Amino acid sequence: MVKTSEPVRSARLPQRGSGSAGADRLKGLVSLVAILAIVGGVPYVLLRFFGTPWPDKMPTRDLLFDQLSTDTVLGIIAFFIWLAWLHFVICLIAEAVTEIRGHGLSPRIPLGGGSQNLARKLIAGVVLIAGATSVTLPVANAVTTSGTTPSSISVTQGGDNSNAANFRQTEARSTVLSGTTHTGVRTNNDHQAGQVVKYTEVRPPQGRNYDCLWDIAERYLGEGRRYKEIYDLNKFKLQPDGRRLTNPDLIMPGWQVRLPADAKGAGVHTVRVQIDQPGTHTEVKPTQAKPVETKPKGGGTVESRTSHEDAAGKGSRWFEEQGIEKPSSIGIGSAVNDPTARNAKPGQPEVGTVQPHNPGTADAQPGDPAAGGTKVPDVVPVAASSHGVDPVEAGIYGFGATLLAAGIALALKRRRGWAQGPGPKAAGHRQTEVGLRLAADIPTAEFVDNSLRMLGASMAEDNRTMPRVVAALVTPRALTLVLAPGEPQALPPGPWQAIADGTRWVLRRAYGPQGPVDAPAPYPTLVTLGQNADGSTVLIDLDTANGIVSFGGVTDASRDVVGSVAAELATNLWSEGAHVSMVGFGDDLSTLAPSRLSYWTSLDDALHEVTRRTDAQVQACGRRDADSVAVARMAYPDPLLWGAEIIFVSAPPSPDEEQRLARLAADPKRCVAVVVVGDVLGSPWRFVVDEKNNAVCRLLGLEVDAHSINPAQFADLVSLFKTAESEALDKRRIEQDMPAYEFSSSDLSQAAPVEVDLLGPVEVDARGPIDEGRVQLSTEIVAFLASQDYGVHPNVLAGAIWPRGISEELRDAALEHTRNWLGLDAMYADESGRWMLNRSIVRVDWDVFRTLAKQASLMDDPRGPLSTALSLVHGQSWANLPAGRYSWLAASGIERRMAEAVVDAALKLAEASLRHNDGNLARTALQTGLSFSPASEDLWRATLRLAAHFGTSSDVTNVAGQMYTALAKHGGPRGAEAETDALVDELLPGYRRPAAVA
């Protein structure tokens, strides 16, 4: 069962725990009887045996000189007993009033001492009678291993969430308190500049003793009375368990409490935050402390592991806790303003050639492209274009969720197989796909994927171990890797460069790979979390946590954030061979990636399966004498063997389950990461998510606007993917007549004034003047008009190009700029106001293709027209589209129509060529069709038959290998069709087919 841990008790100063409810009630009754006996019994005994505390008659002067009698001595003793009783009653009243008020410490009564302590204990004992009163703990719905229904623990306690309506505001940005002065900061945590912020975790109960703010103040500030400063720093702050600090007497074990700047001692976690003042930075140089080195997962060293954590067996932490604080070794911040991440392109006149890295040339200064390279001059900022859609504003699954949407969009394209575009069944899901395409930034996702693979290949070539990465920052300029502490600060391979004393490796986008990189993905558990204060996309490597990663705070928001993390890991490009196991979530999301995502109702079953699969990694590491999967992955590439296992659990596990998960995640010879919805006290990385999806990891100094996918969005995505799979399996084709265009010219010997290429990457060749910043927008407008056979109304055009809306003035201005670029006669509006291209001036390759295909269908020998038509194909259709554009493809259906037409033309030309015994032309036709639609199994089967007819067994084997490689990259998630596998078995008996990888 995915159980919750036993609910912890809140601690009031200086409350002590108890063993059981019966014992608590018994102690409470004893305390109540003692109070009644003292308050009522003592006065009764004194009045009965000694009379009133005042004398019956006014004493005379002789009383001071007469001999003291027994009655006089007893009267004096009784008087002082009355004073002691009155003093105790005052202490009792003070403690009772404080308890009734529910917060704060009771005032110190003069000469109170033991009397006040006894009164406090008696009042606390009376409170134990109400043992059924406590707080409500949010418990995520999870399915149990024993099959029992989920249950929640419900208790009540004043001063917590009972007044939740008063504390709906989200957690404010981090502030640093120094004395009584507050300094506003934003937690983008650039470790090069900033101020130190200190935290501690509320200790778990030891026996009957519970931690409290008074004890924390005494422990780290040297004075318990300073607890009010700690309370002021943490008032209303959202904690990992979903509650907020509203009562200084009520704190919970595991809460993360901010401390004043002068706090010190073992247990103080120090992080650095950057001041929210552009252009000004305050450097705080902490006292250095000798780190304690531990062996991390995957090689390298991690510093500063505390003694009490070692004793408890917890995962490693990246803070100094030896009594002398130093800032966190991790600075997960921003690279937006990094002067070394200029978006300059090699080959430009003002940029020199970058030399390779050489030992001893690591003197990187601001503005240096790489160690030993040539300084790049400062780039003048360019104002953003007023046209089009900013990808940052296009994030529909969280603020700027471009990489998340890119992975899902690519998975959807692969689910459709060779058909690519949406079919008629997807009409009801067009808006979902429009939003998905609008948010997706596929070029950036490919840049990140290829850059990481390039780095891995370079490091493997140099026989170097890949560095352990805590996080990555992606900006329009560069990719920055934040290395784990303790990593050797050696130079990265060029064109990567080391900055920040070697703790970060940066690759500028202009120097990134220009095409796909055939190498293993080194960081399969790297996943997007959100955007930080500077707009950088922040990714974290779950495997580096070396333990459970928990997302606490608001349960529903945390579950949505975790859902987005799971969806990205199941669909992104660099999680090669990864497998995601979701345990106890409400819906089965395996439709998004059947071969990479599975749904479980039992954590025991999921752990058994994950352990079974990763046992092969342990055995393989032993055979290859590898210390970790991270090392073996690069030395012996095999995505199926070294694939990461990521377990997502919908609620905090029980203590036994937590230990099993932690052991799996900490084993370096197993690539296992664990993510839990809800707070886990032993988690190395504890994130807090509030109502507005702000995710904070306080002890890492990380704060982002997190991406999320809510249940309704998941339902839309699942429906969209199911429809796509249904269409991919439907191989029935409807024969349609290809319309012949009256004014489209098929004479390719003469250049047209304007040429538009759609049969491959979109290109427009026009000779008019246009600003360089308007080319992308104008190209999209021309491509949209070229896809319309009969023109389009300007409102429809505006809704397609600017789906988020645009004013008529800006729309008309953009159309006029495009018209001037093409030529006034090449683009016009007819009498009804519909915009269209003049096909007698503008030559669209798609129009010519359809015209030639129509001509070929009327001829006995179609080789001539079909050869000319296929010569227009110049690559994969609609490739390298800019981010945030062309979302109208989801509703147009042109992708599918073009793919069907090209595949049919290639097959018909191959058949006609074979009838005339022209094998070379048939081979060329099939290869051209595959260059446009590499996942078309009809073309691959024809290519196999052609190789078997004209070639040898070796030729057929080569074609089969190329086919399975292409299908693994571009085809459906379930691999080749049964018909294709049957043909391979017929032509190549005993051929070993690779397993499908989504």
Side-chain angles (χ1 to χ4, degrees):
M1 175 177 180
V2 183
K3 302 176 182 177
T4 58
S5 304
E6 182 181 355
V8 292
R9 299 178 183 271
S10 56
R12 180 185 180 275
L13 306 176
Q15 180 176 331
R16 297 177 180 269
S18 58
S20 64
D24 288 344
R25 291 188 175 89
L26 179 60
K27 292 178 181 179
L29 291 175
V30 171
S31 298
L32 181 60
V33 170
I35 291 176
L36 293 177
I38 293 174
V39 174
V42 171
Y44 174 78
V45 172
L46 291 175
L47 289 174
R48 177 70 180 271
F49 296 100
F50 300 100
T52 61
W54 52 87
D56 296 333
K57 58 182 180 179
M58 182 66 66
T60 63
R61 180 175 175 275
D62 297 336
L63 180 64
L64 299 176
F65 301 99
D66 291 345
Q67 185 178 0
L68 293 177
S69 63
T70 303
D71 293 338
T72 303
V73 172
L74 292 177
I76 294 173
I77 295 174
F79 175 76
F80 283 103
I81 293 177
W82 275 108
L83 286 179
W85 173 84
L86 180 62
H87 183 270
F88 180 79
V89 170
I90 294 174
C91 294
L92 203 63
I93 293 173
E95 293 296 330
V97 170
T98 301
E99 185 65 38
I100 293 173
R101 288 165 56 189
H103 67 275
L105 290 175
S106 57
R108 288 184 176 272
I109 306 300
L111 303 178
S115 298
Q116 191 166 3
N117 289 334
L118 177 61
R120 182 181 298 122
K121 292 179 181 179
L122 291 177
I123 292 297
V126 173
V127 175
L128 292 177
I129 297 178
T133 329
S134 77
V135 270
T136 300
L137 296 177
V139 180
N141 293 328
V143 184
T144 68
T145 56
S146 60
T148 59
T149 57
S151 61
S152 61
I153 304 173
S154 180
V155 275
T156 313
Q157 196 163 356
D160 195 337
N161 285 339
S162 57
N163 297 327
N166 297 330
F167 312 112
R168 301 292 292 180
Q169 72 269 32
T170 58
E171 181 175 0
R173 293 288 186 180
S174 303
T175 57
V176 179
L177 182 67
S178 180
T180 58
T181 304
H182 290 77
T183 304
V185 299
R186 293 176 65 86
T187 55
N188 58 358
N189 302 342
D190 185 349
H191 68 292
Q192 296 299 299
Q195 286 193 0
V196 169
V197 175
K198 298 182 178 181
Y199 289 97
T200 188
E201 288 188 0
V202 179
R203 292 179 177 178
Q206 298 178 353
R208 297 182 178 181
N209 297 324
Y210 291 85
D211 210 359
C212 60
L213 293 185
W214 182 282
D215 292 340
I216 292 174
E218 280 188 337
R219 193 158 58 238
Y220 302 123
L221 301 177
E223 176 54 62
R225 297 180 185 179
R226 294 184 62 187
Y227 79 94
K228 292 184 179 180
E229 296 179 34
I230 303 177
Y231 175 68
D232 291 338
L233 278 174
N234 296 274
K235 189 175 183 181
F236 300 156
K237 290 294 182 68
L238 185 66
Q239 295 295 333
D241 61 359
R243 285 172 284 184
R244 299 179 189 271
L245 177 59
T246 60
N247 187 332
D249 297 344
L250 300 175
I251 60 174
M252 301 302 244
W255 276 14
Q256 297 170 339
V257 179
R258 180 176 296 176
L259 300 174
D262 59 337
K264 60 183 179 180
V268 175
H269 308 284
T270 306
V271 296
R272 187 181 295 276
V273 295
Q274 182 176 347
I275 305 173
D276 192 17
Q277 295 176 357
T280 60
H281 301 283
T282 302
E283 180 70 21
V284 180
K285 296 183 179 180
T287 304
Q288 297 293 326
K290 184 177 180 180
V292 179
E293 292 188 352
T294 60
K295 187 70 175 177
K297 182 177 180 179
T301 58
V302 175
E303 63 180 355
S304 81
R305 186 169 184 174
T306 66
S307 58
H308 66 267
E309 282 181 340
D310 289 333
K314 296 183 180 179
S316 59
R317 307 262 181 160
W318 292 285
F319 336 98
E320 186 68 44
E321 298 181 351
Q322 306 303 319
I324 303 177
E325 295 75 41
K326 61 180 292 187
S328 170
S329 299
I330 298 177
I332 306 176
S334 169
V336 166
N337 298 319
D338 183 4
T340 62
R342 304 294 185 189
N343 191 16
K345 297 182 179 180
Q348 292 180 346
E350 68 274 11
V351 181
T353 303
V354 176
Q355 302 297 327
H357 292 266
N358 296 315
T361 59
D363 188 15
Q365 300 296 330
D368 291 344
T374 303
K375 183 173 180 178
V376 178
D378 292 339
V379 176
V380 179
V382 179
S385 174
S386 59
H387 304 288
V389 179
D390 185 353
V392 174
E393 298 176 355
I396 58 173
Y397 302 115
F399 188 72
T402 52
L403 298 183
L404 166 63
I408 298 175
L410 288 173
L412 178 62
K413 183 176 182 179
R414 297 172 64 184
R415 178 59 51 85
R416 288 180 171 133
W418 67 271
Q420 297 182 358
K425 294 182 180 180
H429 308 286
R430 286 179 177 173
Q431 192 57 43
T432 301
E433 188 169 354
V434 166
L436 183 62
R437 294 192 183 219
L438 194 64
D441 187 356
I442 294 177
T444 297
E446 292 175 342
F447 162 67
V448 173
D449 178 41
N450 293 324
S451 299
L452 294 176
R453 293 176 189 268
M454 178 186 70
L455 176 62
S458 300
M459 296 288 285
E461 183 178 354
D462 297 338
N463 197 25
R464 296 171 58 188
T465 303
M466 290 294 294
R468 297 176 66 245
V469 169
V470 176
L473 303 169
V474 182
T475 70
R477 298 176 179 176
L479 167 64
T480 302
L481 300 181
V482 182
L483 307 188
E487 290 293 331
Q489 299 177 1
L491 289 174
W496 288 80
Q497 68 177 99
I499 63 173
D501 297 328
T503 60
R504 297 189 182 194
W505 288 4
V506 177
L507 176 65
R508 286 181 290 166
R509 193 156 184 167
Y511 296 155
Q514 299 303 313
V517 178
D518 185 14
Y523 303 113
T525 58
L526 192 68
V527 65
T528 306
L529 184 60
Q531 286 193 324
N532 65 6
D534 286 340
S536 302
T537 300
V538 179
L539 297 87
I540 59 174
D541 194 342
L542 300 177
D543 190 42
T544 306
N546 201 19
I548 298 173
V549 180
S550 65
F551 285 82
V554 179
T555 303
D556 291 340
S558 300
R559 186 180 288 110
D560 293 346
V561 172
V562 169
S564 75
V565 172
E568 180 175 341
L569 286 171
T571 57
N572 69 21
L573 295 174
W574 53 86
S575 294
E576 188 176 35
H579 186 270
V580 175
S581 300
M582 302 188 70
V583 183
F585 288 81
D587 297 319
D588 185 357
L589 307 177
S590 58
T591 303
L592 299 180
S595 62
R596 284 174 56 173
L597 194 151
S598 58
Y599 176 77
W600 300 88
T601 59
S602 165
L603 182 56
D604 276 343
D605 294 343
L607 288 175
H608 176 76
E609 180 63 19
V610 169
T611 303
R612 183 189 67 81
R613 284 199 292 259
T614 54
D615 282 343
Q617 296 178 350
V618 177
Q619 297 169 5
C621 286
R623 291 193 301 268
R624 293 167 172 82
D625 195 24
D627 294 333
S628 66
V629 171
V631 174
R633 179 185 291 119
M634 306 308 299
Y636 310 96
D638 188 342
L640 296 180
L641 174 61
W642 308 117
E645 294 285 341
I646 307 100
I647 306 173
F648 290 85
V649 187
S650 65
S654 66
D656 291 341
E657 293 165 344
E658 181 180 342
Q659 291 180 5
R660 293 176 60 189
L661 291 170
R663 283 197 300 268
L664 284 175
D667 189 348
K669 296 185 178 180
R670 303 178 191 263
C671 187
V672 179
V674 181
V675 180
V676 172
V677 177
D679 185 37
V680 178
L681 296 183
S683 171
W685 291 358
R686 297 170 67 196
F687 286 88
V688 183
V689 183
D690 64 15
E691 298 89 341
K692 293 186 178 180
N693 287 342
N694 290 325
V696 180
C697 186
R698 293 188 177 100
L699 302 185
L700 287 181
L702 172 63
E703 180 173 355
V704 298
D705 296 315
H707 305 333
S708 66
I709 304 180
N710 59 43
Q713 291 170 333
F714 262 131
D716 291 341
L717 286 175
V718 169
S719 299
L720 179 60
F721 273 69
K722 287 182 177 179
T723 302
E725 184 172 17
S726 175
E727 290 179 338
L729 295 176
D730 186 3
K731 295 302 181 183
R732 294 173 299 176
R733 296 183 180 179
I734 302 176
E735 293 295 333
Q736 297 179 349
D737 292 334
M738 299 293 182
Y741 290 90
E742 180 180 356
F743 299 107
S744 62
S745 172
S746 59
D747 184 8
L748 301 180
S749 61
Q750 300 294 328
V754 179
E755 295 187 1
V756 179
D757 296 338
L758 301 181
L759 294 172
V762 179
E763 297 177 0
V764 177
D765 183 9
R767 296 169 176 79
I770 189 173
D771 294 337
E772 185 177 354
R774 306 182 191 274
V775 171
Q776 283 191 354
L777 175 61
S778 295
T779 300
E780 182 180 5
I781 293 175
V782 174
F784 179 72
L785 293 177
S787 69
Q788 305 297 316
D789 296 339
Y790 308 106
V792 63
H793 192 276
N795 290 340
V796 177
L797 185 147
I801 305 299
W802 299 279
R804 294 181 179 273
I806 191 174
S807 65
E808 292 185 2
E809 292 80 7
L810 292 178
R811 178 200 66 190
D812 294 341
L815 291 175
E816 191 62 28
H817 290 310
T818 305
R819 188 184 181 198
N820 292 332
W821 182 38
L822 300 182
L824 298 180
D825 296 332
M827 174 180 166
Y828 64 94
D830 62 9
E831 297 177 354
S832 63
R834 300 170 66 88
W835 282 88
M836 62 183 62
L837 298 177
N838 186 348
R839 254 57 176 207
S840 63
I841 298 177
V842 179
R843 182 162 64 199
V844 182
D845 60 353
W846 173 232
D847 292 348
V848 178
F849 184 95
R850 289 185 289 179
T851 300
L852 293 171
K854 182 64 175 181
Q855 294 175 3
S857 66
L858 304 176
M859 301 171 63
D860 294 334
D861 186 1
R863 287 182 296 170
L866 290 179
S867 296
T868 305
L870 288 175
S871 69
L872 299 171
V873 176
H874 59 283
Q876 194 169 351
S877 66
W878 306 101
N880 300 324
L881 298 178
R885 299 193 183 277
Y886 294 87
S887 62
W888 49 269
L889 288 173
S892 69
I894 190 173
E895 290 173 298
R896 176 179 289 268
R897 294 196 302 271
M898 291 173 65
E900 290 176 345
V902 173
V903 170
D904 285 343
L907 291 173
K908 289 178 180 178
L909 179 56
E911 292 172 359
S913 301
L914 290 178
R915 286 198 301 267
H916 293 80
N917 200 29
D918 190 350
N920 290 331
L921 182 58
R923 186 180 300 107
T924 301
L926 295 176
Q927 289 176 350
T928 303
L930 288 173
S931 69
F932 186 84
S933 183
S936 173
E937 296 190 44
D938 288 340
L939 294 177
W940 279 115
R941 288 194 290 267
T943 305
L944 284 170
R945 294 189 182 96
L946 185 66
H949 181 72
F950 289 98
T952 63
S953 176
S954 177
D955 296 330
V956 180
T957 302
N958 290 336
V959 173
Q962 295 172 5
M963 177 187 69
Y964 283 115
T965 300
L967 294 181
K969 184 175 182 179
H970 303 285
R974 289 185 170 84
E977 298 173 358
E979 183 179 353
T980 302
D981 289 337
L983 178 61
V984 174
D985 291 338
E986 176 67 23
L987 299 178
L988 297 171
Y991 180 82
R992 180 180 178 271
R993 291 182 293 274
V997 179

